[in-house]
Amino acid sequence: MNLVRKTIEGAAIGVAVADTPASLKAFLQPGCAAAVWRRQTPPAVQAWLDALGPEVLPRGRVVLPAHKIGQTVEHLFDIAGLPKDDSRDWLHADIVSLADMFADLLGVTYLRLRLEPVTTNACRKFHIDAITARLVCTYRGPG
């Protein structure tokens, strides 16, 4: 894990680069503004994701108990008409795994789940809210 620090008006701002899920806890350290996990989607799943039409990409925003993420994601996949196959199963398991890790790191029982295709600069919204911590995962396109 690498922690890059830069001083801005007296405040230490760091970004941790994680190669393992366990390394993500670095963002909980004082002075660390973010942790970036370097990981790869399996090539077959990435090809499947890239080939999906926008009409079948799942969409939804909901606040729910962390243990309900899997059930809710499955429901959002069904509503969107996402084809059932091994790639869908991988995506489902990955979203659930990320949510579980995030909830465990923060010690919370509720999460705000947001699945949506983003086609504009959504980052500008992230920098003006009062969210304590955010997990962002991009499955296709620049992140």
Side-chain angles (χ1 to χ4, degrees):
M1 169 185 60
N2 301 321
L3 184 62
V4 180
R5 293 189 185 271
K6 181 178 178 182
T7 302
I8 300 174
E9 297 180 24
I13 304 295
V15 175
V17 178
D19 291 314
T20 65
S23 300
L24 290 174
K25 66 182 174 189
F27 88 93
L28 298 172
Q29 297 175 12
C32 186
V36 177
W37 182 10
R38 293 187 287 203
R39 67 190 201 121
Q40 295 291 317
T41 302
V45 175
Q46 191 62 60
W48 174 79
L49 285 165
D50 291 342
L52 290 173
E55 71 282 356
V56 296
L57 295 176
R59 292 166 173 78
R61 292 183 186 198
V62 62
V63 176
L64 70 165
H67 71 275
K68 296 279 189 179
I69 294 284
Q71 175 184 347
T72 302
V73 168
E74 189 71 26
H75 186 65
L76 292 172
F77 283 6
D78 289 342
I79 290 170
L82 196 62
K84 291 186 179 189
D85 62 13
D86 291 344
S87 294
R88 173 179 157 148
D89 293 344
W90 182 92
L91 182 61
H92 180 273
D94 193 60
I95 293 169
V96 171
S97 175
L98 289 172
D100 286 345
M101 282 188 286
F102 192 62
D104 287 346
L105 281 170
L106 294 175
V108 298
T109 55
Y110 279 80
L111 294 174
R112 177 179 293 144
L113 173 69
R114 178 177 167 185
L115 294 178
E116 69 180 356
V118 176
T119 58
T120 62
N121 180 4
C123 286
R124 63 183 169 76
K125 296 177 187 174
F126 296 160
H127 299 290
I128 59 172
D129 61 20
I131 300 295
T132 302
R134 169 180 284 114
L135 182 148
V136 177
C137 180
T138 302
Y139 288 103
R140 69 184 213 187

